[in-house]
Amino acid sequence: MTMQEGLVLVVEDSEEDIEAVARALGRSHPLVRLEFTDSPRTLVSRLLDPAAERPALVLLDLNLPGCSGHSLLRDIRLRPELAGVPVVVFTSSTAPAEVEDCYAAGADSYIFKPLNFDLFRTVLGSTVDFWLTDRPATRDVPTA
């Protein structure tokens, strides 16, 4: 098995969850670089910035200050140039309507944050392994 590497952009406002993500991936995925933001307002511009590294994966929490994770997801998916960026909703909500809304808005996957840290680490590690593996593009990129 090869070590996964790449940039994972985590959109999260909970300091506790930020620390949990960093701890969960720190040892198991040392080649994965983590970038955290709690500012949904600047996420799309960060993703579009040609000087910034394009993340291999965006982990998106739904409960963000001043912004719905659903609307942020829709904003990302409205940008054709971001079509190839996988966005995985990583949240504590298990409501079926929430899951359906996220997929309708363009989520590539929906992952529930387990409360047990060992399970959290396993779920997060498996998610990173899956999305950072080289694969053909999962979204059709519109052509001009």
Side-chain angles (χ1 to χ4, degrees):
M1 183 168 113
T2 61
M3 289 289 228
Q4 300 302 323
E5 60 182 288
L7 175 65
V8 176
L9 179 56
V10 183
V11 186
E12 176 63 66
D13 66 317
S14 162
E15 287 297 323
E16 185 176 288
D17 286 348
I18 289 170
E19 181 181 328
V21 168
R23 282 183 43 220
L25 293 176
R27 287 190 181 152
S28 65
H29 293 76
L31 300 178
V32 169
R33 294 173 322 283
L34 296 172
E35 181 181 328
F36 295 94
T37 183
D38 63 356
S39 174
R41 292 182 241 343
T42 62
L43 178 65
V44 173
S45 60
R46 157 57 184 93
L47 291 171
L48 292 171
D49 181 353
E53 180 180 358
R54 177 71 53 99
L57 174 64
V58 173
L59 289 177
L60 175 63
D61 184 34
L62 290 180
N63 303 313
L64 299 166
C67 179
S68 149
H70 295 99
S71 64
L72 184 56
L73 182 55
R74 279 191 223 49
D75 288 348
I76 293 169
R77 291 303 177 219
L78 285 173
R79 309 289 184 141
E81 58 270 46
L82 298 178
V85 177
V87 179
V88 172
V89 173
F90 192 56
T91 190
S92 56
S93 175
T94 60
E98 195 83 79
V99 176
E100 290 174 22
D101 288 348
C102 287
Y103 281 118
D108 290 291
S109 189
Y110 187 101
I111 308 292
F112 172 70
K113 290 180 191 173
L115 295 177
N116 173 288
F117 183 73
D118 288 333
L119 187 53
F120 180 95
R121 182 176 49 220
T122 299
V123 167
L124 187 58
S126 296
T127 301
V128 167
D129 287 343
F130 180 83
W131 288 104
L132 269 60
T133 299
D134 288 335
R135 69 182 74 257
T138 57
R139 296 191 169 277
D140 292 330
V141 178
T143 56

